[in-house]
Amino acid sequence: MANTMETNYYDTYPDDNGHFGQYGGRFVGETLMGAIYELEQAYEKYKTDPEFQAEMDKDLADFVGRPSPIYLAENLTKNLGGAQIYLKREDLNHTGAHKVNNTIGQALLAKRMGKTRIIAETGAGQHGVATATVAARLGMECVVYMGAADVQRQAQNVYRMKLLGAEVIPVESGSRTLKDALNEALRDWVTNVDNTFYIIGTVAGPHPYPAMVRDFQSIIGREARSQIINATGKLPDALIACIGGGSNAIGLFHPFIEDKEVVMYGVEGAGHGIETGQHSAPLSAGTPGVLHGNRTYLMQDENGQIIETHSISAGLDYPGVGPEHALLKDIGRANYVSVTDDEALEAFHTLTRSEGIIPALESSHAIAYACKLAPTMSPEQVLLINLSGRGDKDMHTVAAMAGLTF
Amino acid sequence: MSRISHCFEKLKTDGQTALIPYITAGDPEPWVTVPILHAMVDAGANLLELGIPFSDPMSDGPVIQKACERALKNDVSLKHVLDMVRQFREKDKITPIVLMGYANPLEAMGYEAFAKRAEEVGVDGILTVDMPPEESEQFLTIMDSHNIDTIFLVAPTTSLERMDKIAKVAKGFIYYVSIKGVTGSASLDISEVSEKMAELRQRTSLPLGVGFGIRDGKSAAAVSDVADGVVVGSTLVRWIAEHANNPEILPEALAGLVAEMRHAINARDMAK
Ligand SMILES: Cc1ncc(COP(=O)(O)O)c(C=O)c1O
């Protein structure tokens, strides 16, 4: 008899109702229930459809530029004096981040489902840009909701979306950031459910989104796994990725979950410091609850009200996290840690100067944790970091921190 | 028999349609909620829906979003809402009260703690907007053991198969959302509503309430032709918003609005 301890993770999670253990599920208003079942059916049908897969593979190769390379950061490795540091170069993707892996997949699905209008929420604007990009290409109407605070700090991406033909709607409610954009996108979807496809940008939302977005992003980990074995002859010792909603992290982690010797670190935004309460680290400092369609760790008060988050990086500024990360935390398969705004900013400069790669502020959180971890490891060990995006969009924020404007 | 079932039964005998006003608890100020509830009952409301303020009301339009924001500014959360019901019950032991809100405040309190307290203070039903039957197995058992009716929504997008599923778990009444959209958005299409009412009646003997697109006496009266209850929310809350700086006048003012709708519905009921 098979030992139950040996039950394969991939066969177990999620269950048929989108539950990752006690997390996940379908917590939406009745009006959307039909739509999420419709999406689930379409996704189940096409995910094994060779024609769909072929079209997606072609787009990922010719339009996005995959596979993205892994890069041995020799200077950083030398300076930190520990593990060999490899970067998975999602920053080299068309549109500048991992987000496009997912929007390609969802847009092809939207097309097959006969939807004519696409909506999305965005924080840093990377998902909005990636969505506007695929919508432009498929000739679909595109509306992107963005917290009014993020519209200001990511002005360049707002303009990019507009150039691509998307309508960007600033959301003034609540904390005027990513969670409010998600609320507003859900409200739009309820209202226009017949013709509209909602492209969620991370592994959040009701089932099937967390599983579907993970599948689309898992190309990161599948490629990286074989690339790193090719380069080093073995599996990496540790993986590091930043966590906003958790899509780039789960994309990297998922293909390694059954490789038990690979240690995984998800890095949340500690903002001004966990102890100040001004952060966006629900896995490090939150409690389980229900928001945006699933049960997961949340930043909330004792009455179940969602509290305002803070991170220097708009893409991490979210009070929840994908339900699969909640499970991975509880079962101890992944470790969740956090770094502050200041540490991330320092890592931003470190990578820029040592390797000539300007990382996104989100990805800088992963770099910052690597700067702590690598020196504790030996030179035979290999550390693989997901460089989820490039920093072009963050020029204003970084310059402003240095007292400059342009 | 639950207070809700009793209420609908009695109205049916009298040939009347239930008028069900909604307000958000604690909006614009906590002290005025209970006086507003009493005033609305005096003006002809039969059943009350009291909104639990939530920071992220995803199914609500701007009117009720702002109501939540005003209530939260006063720190009104689920425990305070339960206390308002307790106060209300000091004077009114008859009118059913349904709490309406989102899953997370209930999760934070704990289903059992909530249900126990709700039963003690005299809550009759709970409508959790973002908890479909699929996710409510444990919730249903606990609410049932404390005699709290679990109200569910049916939407224009609900398939017949789902209607069956909802009819199986719903208690008290079923709430038909008459529009595709958030609260307070469009106006309803009465012929579509009546079609759905017919489909629902084949599947349940529970009373049917209709809400989400009812703005005035006229639309309330039209809905009363086909439904057992008419829910009016955003129209009242909009009024509260406009007079948020003058809360003293709200009980009387809302009573006026409720009376007008009661009048319109009665006229229609009499004509049947
Ligand atoms: C470059 C980059 N990395 C990471 C994130 C965080 O999202 P997730 O945790 O879903 O990867 C974002 C979100 O905007 C991003 O733009």
Side-chain angles (χ1 to χ4, degrees):
Chain A
M1 282 297 285
N3 182 340
T4 49
M5 291 295 289
E6 297 296 313
T7 308
N8 189 300
Y9 179 92
Y10 300 121
D11 298 336
T12 314
Y13 304 112
D15 70 11
D16 290 343
N17 292 310
H19 293 123
F20 296 88
Q22 62 163 314
Y23 303 106
R26 304 181 182 96
F27 292 88
V28 294
E30 178 57 29
T31 312
L32 288 180
M33 287 302 286
I36 65 174
Y37 279 112
E38 182 193 356
L39 173 61
E40 183 182 338
Q41 277 161 14
Y43 179 57
E44 287 302 318
K45 174 173 165 197
Y46 289 115
K47 83 174 177 189
T48 52
D49 177 54
E51 216 174 284
F52 180 82
Q53 286 301 331
E55 188 173 349
M56 197 163 72
D57 290 347
K58 189 168 188 312
D59 280 356
L60 289 173
D62 302 342
F63 188 66
V64 177
R66 303 205 72 89
S68 68
I70 56 166
Y71 165 75
L72 174 60
E74 289 188 67
N75 295 331
L76 190 62
T77 299
K78 207 182 298 155
N79 296 345
L80 293 173
Q84 298 164 52
I85 297 173
Y86 282 86
L87 305 177
K88 176 64 173 163
R89 298 292 308 275
E90 292 300 301
D91 61 315
L92 294 178
N93 292 341
H94 178 44
T95 70
H98 69 293
K99 296 287 181 188
V100 70
N101 303 329
N102 169 47
T103 58
I104 292 272
Q106 289 199 50
L108 291 180
L109 208 51
K111 195 173 86 175
R112 279 176 172 68
M113 289 171 74
K115 305 290 179 182
T116 55
R117 180 172 176 270
I118 281 175
I119 58 171
E121 86 295 338
T122 197
Q126 287 304 113
H127 174 61
V129 167
T131 304
T133 298
V134 293
R137 201 166 149 244
L138 296 176
M140 289 194 208
E141 183 189 347
C142 180
V143 175
V144 179
Y145 291 93
M146 189 167 186
D150 294 337
V151 167
Q152 273 168 17
R153 58 178 163 171
Q154 303 287 345
Q156 191 189 324
N157 270 344
V158 174
Y159 187 58
R160 284 170 84 192
M161 288 184 262
K162 287 182 179 164
L163 285 176
L164 289 159
E167 184 187 354
V168 180
I169 302 185
V171 178
E172 298 284 355
S173 57
S175 56
R176 304 158 76 238
T177 58
L178 182 54
K179 86 170 167 75
D180 310 288
L182 230 147
N183 288 336
E184 209 52 38
L186 284 167
R187 290 179 189 121
D188 178 311
W189 199 23
V190 170
T191 310
N192 302 293
V193 60
D194 293 331
N195 71 346
T196 296
F197 190 105
Y198 180 15
I199 301 190
I200 297 187
T202 189
V203 282
H207 183 60
Y209 284 101
M212 176 174 72
V213 175
R214 175 203 68 199
D215 291 348
F216 290 142
Q217 290 294 0
S218 290
I219 186 141
I220 301 172
R222 285 199 306 275
E223 285 175 6
R225 196 172 178 283
S226 70
Q227 287 167 327
I228 200 95
I229 290 173
N230 268 342
T232 68
K234 59 171 194 147
L235 286 166
D237 295 279
L239 308 176
I240 302 184
C242 68
I243 307 247
S247 69
N248 86 87
I250 206 77
L252 177 66
F253 293 174
H254 197 252
F256 290 94
I257 286 178
E258 285 290 336
D259 300 320
K260 299 277 160 62
E261 65 273 37
V262 179
V263 185
M264 310 193 296
Y265 296 93
V267 187
E268 298 188 298
H272 297 315
I274 298 284
E275 68 289 352
T276 66
Q278 295 181 331
H279 58 82
S280 49
L283 289 165
S284 307
T287 50
V290 171
L291 181 69
H292 293 153
N294 65 82
R295 184 179 283 119
T296 188
Y297 279 87
L298 299 175
M299 289 182 52
Q300 56 181 325
D301 67 14
E302 74 280 8
N303 295 313
Q305 308 296 348
I306 307 306
I307 52 186
E308 291 200 6
T309 52
H310 165 80
S311 172
I312 189 174
S313 113
L316 304 190
D317 212 345
Y318 180 64
V321 62
E324 192 161 9
H325 288 293
L327 171 71
L328 292 173
K329 172 188 159 80
D330 282 10
I331 64 176
R333 180 61 192 93
N335 307 292
Y336 294 93
V337 296
S338 61
V339 306
T340 62
D341 288 353
D342 289 346
E343 290 169 324
L345 199 59
E346 191 185 326
F348 171 94
H349 291 295
T350 302
L351 189 72
T352 300
R353 288 297 176 93
S354 63
E355 299 292 344
I357 297 173
I358 302 181
L361 281 173
E362 289 78 13
S363 324
S364 300
H365 286 70
I367 305 291
Y369 191 70
C371 292
K372 297 185 188 183
L373 187 65
T376 70
M377 297 169 72
S378 74
E380 298 79 56
Q381 292 187 298
V382 170
L383 188 52
L384 176 60
I385 307 170
N386 198 6
L387 190 64
S388 57
R390 58 181 180 244
D392 308 25
K393 71 183 174 57
D394 295 314
M395 290 302 103
H396 274 93
T397 307
V398 175
M401 298 299 284
L404 305 171
T405 49
F406 48 76
Chain B
M1 189 190 292
S2 80
R3 219 168 348 221
I4 295 175
S5 308
H6 185 79
C7 169
F8 277 106
E9 201 110 304
K10 178 158 185 313
L11 288 168
K12 194 172 178 186
T13 320
D14 299 348
Q16 279 203 332
T17 305
L19 176 56
I20 312 174
Y22 165 97
I23 60 168
T24 303
D27 171 33
E29 286 181 23
W31 68 265
V32 79
T33 298
V34 173
I36 290 177
L37 295 177
H38 285 306
M40 294 195 302
V41 172
D42 292 343
N46 307 104
L47 205 143
L48 299 167
E49 255 187 46
L50 192 54
I52 306 163
F54 183 48
S55 52
D56 294 81
M58 284 120 17
S59 295
D60 285 298
V63 172
I64 293 178
Q65 285 171 48
K66 296 237 168 62
C68 284
E69 285 177 18
R70 287 190 296 271
L72 288 172
K73 244 193 213 133
N74 300 318
D75 280 327
V76 175
S77 268
L78 180 53
K79 60 182 182 227
H80 309 104
V81 179
L82 289 167
D83 201 54
M84 289 174 186
V85 177
R86 183 192 58 76
Q87 281 177 47
F88 176 82
R89 283 278 172 253
E90 286 171 3
K91 280 202 216 149
D92 186 332
K93 307 222 182 305
I94 298 167
T95 312
I97 295 194
V98 172
L99 300 187
M100 179 167 181
Y102 293 82
N104 203 49
L106 298 170
E107 296 253 327
M109 181 172 282
Y111 296 163
E112 177 63 36
F114 164 74
K116 187 164 170 285
R117 184 73 185 138
E119 184 180 27
E120 273 166 23
V121 300
V123 169
D124 302 288
I126 175 79
L127 196 174
T128 317
V129 180
D130 54 348
M131 201 190 304
E134 280 87 339
E135 299 291 349
S136 55
E137 198 178 319
Q138 189 201 12
F139 182 75
L140 289 168
T141 314
I142 294 174
M143 294 308 131
D144 196 43
S145 73
H146 289 281
N147 305 305
I148 309 288
D149 285 339
T150 39
I151 321 287
F152 282 89
L153 300 174
V154 166
T157 52
T158 305
S159 64
L160 296 179
E161 191 190 340
R162 281 191 67 74
M163 277 188 196
D164 286 331
K165 195 174 196 163
I166 292 165
K168 267 204 202 95
V169 293
K171 293 237 167 86
F173 68 101
I174 288 178
Y175 185 145
Y176 181 69
V177 173
S178 61
I179 48 166
K180 283 179 205 156
V182 291
T183 50
S185 43
S187 301
L188 57 84
D189 172 347
I190 192 70
S191 68
E192 198 183 313
V193 173
S194 99
E195 233 169 77
K196 291 286 176 177
M197 292 292 108
E199 286 168 357
L200 268 168
R201 291 209 194 274
Q202 287 173 10
R203 291 169 170 78
T204 182
S205 54
L206 287 177
L208 304 179
V210 173
F212 270 51
I214 297 157
R215 322 202 122 177
D216 47 22
K218 197 165 151 235
S219 46
V223 167
S224 73
D225 279 349
V226 291
D228 307 304
V230 177
V231 185
V232 189
S234 294
T235 297
L236 303 179
V237 176
R238 199 173 285 119
W239 229 89
I240 293 177
E242 279 165 19
H243 301 86
N245 294 328
N246 212 359
E248 305 75 33
I249 68 150
L250 285 172
E252 203 186 317
L254 270 94
L257 294 172
V258 168
E260 185 195 318
M261 300 213 188
R262 176 81 268 167
H263 198 75
I265 295 171
N266 280 357
R268 196 72 155 235
D269 284 342
M270 304 266 271
K272 272 181 213 164

